[in-house]
Amino acid sequence: MVIGIEEFWRAKLAGSSVTTPSMLSGWVTGSDAVAGFVEPTLKVLDGDPATARIFLIAAPGAVGKSSYAGALAAATQAVVVDLARTAPLGGNFFTGGLSNAFGHLALADAAAGKIALIVDALDEAQMRAGSQGYEAGLADLAGITENADALPTVLLGRAIAAEDAYLYLGGLGYNACLLEIEFFSDNQARAYIDGKLALLASPDSQSGTAFASHTQTFRDLAHSARAKLSEAAGCDRSRFSGYAPVLDAICEFTLDPESLNPMAKLSDLNSTSPIELIYDIIKSILKREQGKLQAQFRERHPDAGIVLDGLYAPDEQLGYVAASLFSTPAPTPFSLSNSAHQVTYQEMVATFAPQHPFLSSPRAASNPVFAAYLVAWALKRSANASFVRKAVLKQPAIMSGIFFDLYEREMQRDANVLMPLADVGLLYQALNSQITPGQRVQLEIFERVEESGGGVVEIGFEILERSDPESGDALPGRTWGPYVADTGTVLELRSPFSNIYIDAPIMVELGDGVVQQIGAPTEISVEALIIGARQVLVVGVGPDVVKEQQTVSLIASDTDCEKVQTVDVSAVTLSVTWPGAEKHPWNRYSVDVVPAADENVDFMRRRLRNILIAFRSHSKGALRRLAAKIDHIRMIKDARGRALIEKLIADKILVLVLSGKFYELDPDVMGRILCVNYHELAKSQFSPELDSYLYDVLTMMPKP
């Protein structure tokens, strides 16, 4: 079945006819056709679109959910409810909202099939409303669709928010269907580029005149640039070559008014990767801006000579843009010895900087790719980093998934650079913007003891793929790292998270001041833990996670959790261990860890726990982990850890499978021999039998 606007939605939402202007912010009628809109492909992930009453449309960040909502509303006369602009979700949000927006008869009209609702920005609503308000709002909306004559409702959001809403509504018994917006296909991307070029080529501009005379040549340049990018990415469904923000950047690069020789520009595209192509595009734009200012300066001061080379350099431009977007300190202007030259230059910068192509307004980037580049650039400047982190935490929409790749490119360019812990939360958030339903982002942070006796912290990221529907095996994922971290900063996590594993002497801060959602599985063992939220929500992440992994464990030597008023736990086992954890609201989940007999047994406890809880759901419920991950020095630490793994293999608690590529954990054998189950181990509950087992491993080791 084709789920298209003409083929599906016009008939599905037929009858919607509200034309009354809305009296409520965020409720929009009379949507116009979206200029340059290219309809993406929708893929059915779950549910039956033929019978569904509620449709959840998921997509990674910046793929075009809001454009799709606007185009769909324009075609069907539906009402768009933009949850980024409304009050937070809660009970009676939609039933009351209809009346407040369109009058007291609107609810009856919706029940009679005269009003269709298209609800956008689920992910922002989830963050603003908290769990109870969010779920109450969804239930209120679903109740409207129960009327026999009511039209179906369409909701759009990023992958996790849409998937969570689908599971919640399905659990309540509502007939829902989960769809996914796919990245543009080759033909769709070509159509998008052609339309975007026409929009950018203003008829009264130099680039517009050139485009009108050589339309096909410019199109060829843009398509060739995209083809090269797609080839470097190595896959047809690339998140780059089919990603609208990247296509926007290609179009802006193509129609650079200061470089309107498309054949010459094509020969300069020597990128070997998608990210390098993005950098080429951005460098070209910065060079263009510098040239424009220098040309005007030369007209005012023909005697300037060589001094022109330093005017409005790329880093200075980026400094002005960063100051506008993130309120960072303004850069020091290029210094000129001639006072008249200096006055002219400062006047020109005051004109040029606010109109930089990276800005659409003083506080908004013109393109998510440019915003991501600015964030990655500014984080490498110590004077700017703290301002940028604060801005991104306050305005999550600044971020897009491509930021991760841009940042990682900088890490690859200098292997000796340490990754600040303060950047890790932003990277985790960016990587979450890339995933699709069924995928999860995993973050691992471990202490690694060096031979010199000192310790460093290693960081690794991974995208866990959904299981193959045929075999049940997890599809191959992508991994990054390990990176060596600078532990002089704090790891901050604000947005909902899961699949985070930390065992390191660092400081971690959670919460946005209001709420922090923690999903299973999560294991955090740190030196200091700060929870800056009034409410903590601890939840399972879905039926695809095996029961052994529905655990959240928080361990810290020192904590600051005074702000926490309530802890709500749903479908998951929570354990907390820290001084004062026996006090409300943590007392129900507090676990006392019995001290080990000596430091060697304590070392082995930590090794065993880290090794065994590292196993992830794999192959229809089996717990597997890449052998190379388990055998890595950060897991075993030294000869004692190696001896422990060999013992676990000998006792068949761990079994090598798939030609030795994976270890598989047998929870039943583990429970029988170690007298501890996965949940108890996650909570650091060690049995006397387990301690005896570890002591035997130590005593059987060869003497040095």
Side-chain angles (χ1 to χ4, degrees), residues 318-331 359 361-365 374-375 377-378 381-392 394-395 398:
L318 295 171
Y320 290 122
V321 177
S324 182
L325 287 178
F326 313 127
S327 299
T328 61
L359 294 170
S361 71
R363 294 295 178 193
L374 257 297
V375 173
W377 174 87
R381 276 77 185 164
S382 58
N384 295 332
S386 62
F387 292 90
V388 175
R389 293 178 188 124
K390 289 178 182 178
V392 172
K394 288 181 180 179
Q395 306 174 59
I398 290 175

Side-chain angles (χ1 to χ4, degrees), residues 251-299:
C251 291
E252 289 163 6
F253 161 76
T254 299
L255 284 175
D256 176 355
E258 300 300 319
S259 179
L260 292 172
N261 185 337
M263 297 308 297
K265 289 175 70 173
L266 183 58
S267 67
D268 291 336
L269 290 176
N270 296 319
S271 303
T272 57
S273 72
I275 291 300
E276 293 301 326
L277 177 54
I278 295 298
Y279 270 80
D280 280 352
I281 290 170
I282 286 173
K283 285 189 294 185
S284 174
I285 293 171
L286 294 173
K287 183 179 178 181
R288 178 196 72 191
E289 291 301 296
Q290 184 181 27
K292 286 166 59 177
L293 183 143
Q294 289 176 344
Q296 291 190 23
F297 189 92
R298 188 183 297 110
E299 290 178 2

Side-chain angles (χ1 to χ4, degrees), residues 119-268:
V119 183
D120 193 19
L122 272 181
D123 41 302
E124 293 195 40
Q126 186 180 43
M127 293 180 64
R128 293 169 62 204
S131 178
Q132 292 182 338
Y134 181 67
E135 292 177 354
L138 290 176
D140 180 48
L141 176 62
I144 296 174
T145 68
E146 285 192 303
N147 294 284
D149 295 327
L151 295 172
T153 293
V154 182
L155 302 95
L156 301 95
R158 291 192 181 188
I160 292 177
E163 191 175 14
D164 285 350
Y166 173 73
L167 293 172
Y168 174 72
L169 292 170
L172 294 180
Y174 292 107
N175 188 351
C177 179
L178 180 61
L179 307 170
E180 176 186 12
I181 294 180
E182 296 192 305
F183 292 99
F184 282 140
S185 68
D186 183 66
N187 287 337
Q188 289 167 335
R190 291 179 66 86
Y192 183 90
I193 285 175
D194 289 346
K196 186 71 174 183
L197 288 173
L199 288 173
L200 289 175
S202 173
D204 57 353
S205 67
Q206 184 181 1
S207 58
T209 301
F211 182 76
S213 301
H214 307 284
T215 301
Q216 193 56 49
T217 305
F218 281 101
R219 286 177 176 172
D220 289 345
L221 167 61
H223 294 315
S224 296
R226 179 184 166 272
K228 184 176 252 187
L229 182 151
S230 180
E231 179 183 350
C235 62
D236 293 333
R237 191 177 174 272
S238 164
R239 65 185 183 281
F240 293 104
S241 62
Y243 185 29
V246 175
L247 302 180
D248 288 343
I250 288 175
C251 291
E252 289 163 6
F253 161 76
T254 299
L255 284 175
D256 176 355
E258 300 300 319
S259 179
L260 292 172
N261 185 337
M263 297 308 297
K265 289 175 70 173
L266 183 58
S267 67
D268 291 336

Side-chain angles (χ1 to χ4, degrees), residues 195-539:
K196 186 71 174 183
L197 288 173
L199 288 173
L200 289 175
S202 173
D204 57 353
S205 67
Q206 184 181 1
S207 58
T209 301
F211 182 76
S213 301
H214 307 284
T215 301
Q216 193 56 49
T217 305
F218 281 101
R219 286 177 176 172
D220 289 345
L221 167 61
H223 294 315
S224 296
R226 179 184 166 272
K228 184 176 252 187
L229 182 151
S230 180
E231 179 183 350
C235 62
D236 293 333
R237 191 177 174 272
S238 164
R239 65 185 183 281
F240 293 104
S241 62
Y243 185 29
V246 175
L247 302 180
D248 288 343
I250 288 175
C251 291
E252 289 163 6
F253 161 76
T254 299
L255 284 175
D256 176 355
E258 300 300 319
S259 179
L260 292 172
N261 185 337
M263 297 308 297
K265 289 175 70 173
L266 183 58
S267 67
D268 291 336
L269 290 176
N270 296 319
S271 303
T272 57
S273 72
I275 291 300
E276 293 301 326
L277 177 54
I278 295 298
Y279 270 80
D280 280 352
I281 290 170
I282 286 173
K283 285 189 294 185
S284 174
I285 293 171
L286 294 173
K287 183 179 178 181
R288 178 196 72 191
E289 291 301 296
Q290 184 181 27
K292 286 166 59 177
L293 183 143
Q294 289 176 344
Q296 291 190 23
F297 189 92
R298 188 183 297 110
E299 290 178 2
R300 296 270 297 272
H301 298 285
D303 60 332
I306 197 170
V307 76
L308 287 171
D309 293 343
L311 298 184
Y312 212 45
D315 272 4
E316 187 179 346
Q317 293 181 51
L318 295 171
Y320 290 122
V321 177
S324 182
L325 287 178
F326 313 127
S327 299
T328 61
T332 301
F334 185 76
S335 179
L336 297 168
S337 58
N338 185 304
S339 60
H341 291 178
Q342 189 71 46
V343 170
T344 299
Y345 180 55
Q346 291 179 336
E347 290 175 351
M348 286 185 172
V349 167
T351 301
F352 270 72
Q355 301 180 52
H356 199 281
F358 287 7
L359 294 170
S360 61
S361 71
R363 294 295 178 193
S366 60
N367 184 293
V369 175
F370 298 153
Y373 179 90
L374 257 297
V375 173
W377 174 87
L379 287 176
K380 297 302 181 184
R381 276 77 185 164
S382 58
N384 295 332
S386 62
F387 292 90
V388 175
R389 293 178 188 124
K390 289 178 182 178
V392 172
L393 289 172
K394 288 181 180 179
Q395 306 174 59
I398 290 175
M399 295 299 296
S400 64
I402 204 170
F403 162 72
F404 185 93
D405 303 88
L406 293 166
Y407 188 103
E408 203 269 341
R409 184 248 196 194
E410 293 300 313
M411 295 296 298
Q412 292 292 338
R413 286 168 64 89
D414 189 347
N416 297 318
V417 172
L418 299 180
M419 176 183 287
L421 275 176
D423 292 350
V424 173
L426 303 182
L427 291 165
Y428 176 83
Q429 178 182 325
L431 205 52
N432 264 294
S433 296
Q434 294 188 9
I435 63 173
T436 57
Q439 295 179 322
R440 291 290 184 269
V441 176
Q442 180 171 286
L443 168 64
E444 291 183 317
I445 304 178
F446 289 98
E447 181 185 23
R448 185 182 74 195
V449 178
E450 304 284 74
E451 292 182 2
S452 62
V456 298
V457 173
E458 284 190 349
I459 299 169
F461 295 91
E462 183 173 358
I463 289 184
L464 305 174
E465 294 284 349
R466 62 172 71 91
S467 296
D468 184 278
E470 299 294 329
S471 67
D473 288 333
L475 299 170
R478 290 177 286 155
T479 61
W480 294 266
Y483 306 105
V484 179
D486 171 9
T487 59
T489 55
V490 179
L491 169 60
E492 299 178 73
L493 297 169
R494 298 285 189 265
S495 57
F497 63 80
S498 64
N499 292 91
I500 287 186
Y501 298 85
I502 304 175
D503 184 12
I506 62 174
M507 180 180 290
V508 173
E509 183 173 345
L510 311 178
D512 60 2
V514 179
V515 65
Q516 178 62 63
Q517 179 174 310
I518 305 174
T522 289
E523 310 287 342
I524 297 178
S525 178
V526 294
E527 185 69 27
L529 179 66
I530 301 170
I531 305 182
R534 294 194 296 270
Q535 182 182 27
V536 175
L537 308 174
V538 185
V539 299

